[in-house]
Structures are given as structure tokens and as C-alpha cells.
Amino acid sequence: MEKNMFIHRYIIYGLIGICLEIFWTGLESLLNNNYTMEAKTSVWMFFIYGLAVFFEPIHHKMKRINPMFRGLIYMILIYTVEFLTGGILKVLLGACPWNYTDWGSFYGLITLSFMPVWSALGFIFEGIHRGLDTIDMRLRV
């Protein structure tokens, strides 16, 4: 992938991730009877979601694999990124934008309750990747 395309896609994944997080936390507010649907995120999340660009080669290699297995792989990859980036932010800044406290939490950095969410996010980014590839092919013709 050429450098400009990599940067453009990094930005696209970062912006989409931020939008999804705003929607998710706004929906969570609504479920907690906050009808203004206040949402919360951090600018750091843009940079973390942008890392989804590194999943593109994995999408290519796994496109013919069973969706259940792909969902499992995406979940593991996203947990790994979440744990590593959260740990780095904790070391560098003393905190990270999220802090899980539920029953399946590990060091506040990841939580088992997000297993289906991270699998779904993997498929969302896979679809975005397919769409970006389609756009790129049409622009090159």
C-alpha cells in the first residue's frame, strides 16, 4: 500500500471509530435514562481506531474463512490492541481513556463483556475495508 493511501485509510478508520464510539456511549447514556444521550470519547481514540488499517492484510487473508472463526480472530486482535494501547497510555500518561470495572475486567484495560462488540467491530472494519478497496478500484479505472 502506498504511503498516501495508508495515511488516508488510517484517518478514515480513526474518524469512523470515533463516530462509532460517540454513538455507542450516547446509546449507553440513553439506556441509563439520560435522554440527552450525552456521549464521551477521547482524542486518543482516533489514533487507536486508526490502527485498524493494519488489519487490512488480515482481512485479505481471511476472506474465505468461516465467519465464526474470523469473528474470533478479530476479537482477539482488538483485545490485543486495546490492552497494549491502554497499557502504553497508562505508563505514559498515568491513565487511559477507558477503565473497565466489571466482572471480566483485566487491569481495567479489557473486559470480557465486550467479546461480541469487538467481533462485530472487526466485521464492520472488514466491510469498510471492502468498500474502500471498491472505491480505489473505481478511481483507478
Side-chain angles (χ1 to χ4, degrees), residues 8-95:
H8 291 146
R9 289 190 176 199
Y10 182 94
I11 291 167
I12 289 167
Y13 286 117
L15 291 173
I16 290 171
I18 285 281
C19 290
L20 288 170
E21 184 156 320
I22 289 169
F23 181 81
W24 180 266
T25 58
L27 187 59
E28 186 177 49
S29 290
L30 179 64
L31 294 174
N32 288 318
N33 298 319
N34 179 346
Y35 300 111
T36 64
M37 295 181 69
E38 290 178 78
K40 181 180 176 185
T41 191
S42 164
V43 173
W44 288 110
M45 298 311 296
F46 166 80
F47 300 104
I48 294 169
Y49 283 116
L51 297 173
V53 73
F54 292 107
F55 290 3
E56 287 189 354
I58 297 165
H59 296 153
H60 283 298
K61 287 183 179 10
M62 294 197 326
K63 65 182 167 187
R64 289 185 172 73
I65 293 177
N66 178 302
M68 293 293 284
F69 184 70
R70 287 197 335 259
L72 177 66
I73 296 298
Y74 295 148
M75 179 192 66
I76 291 168
L77 289 171
I78 292 170
Y79 270 133
T80 301
V81 170
E82 184 180 35
F83 190 80
L84 292 174
T85 57
I88 290 168
L89 288 174
K90 272 192 171 183
V91 168
L92 294 178
L93 307 174

Side-chain angles (χ1 to χ4, degrees), residues 12-13 16 20 123-133:
I12 289 167
Y13 286 117
I16 290 171
L20 288 170
F123 285 111
I124 290 168
F125 280 140
E126 180 184 276
I128 292 165
H129 175 208
R130 273 196 311 271
L132 292 172
D133 281 352

Side-chain angles (χ1 to χ4, degrees), residues 94-106:
C96 75
W98 61 90
N99 183 27
Y100 300 116
T101 58
D102 62 340
W103 62 270
S105 168
F106 294 97

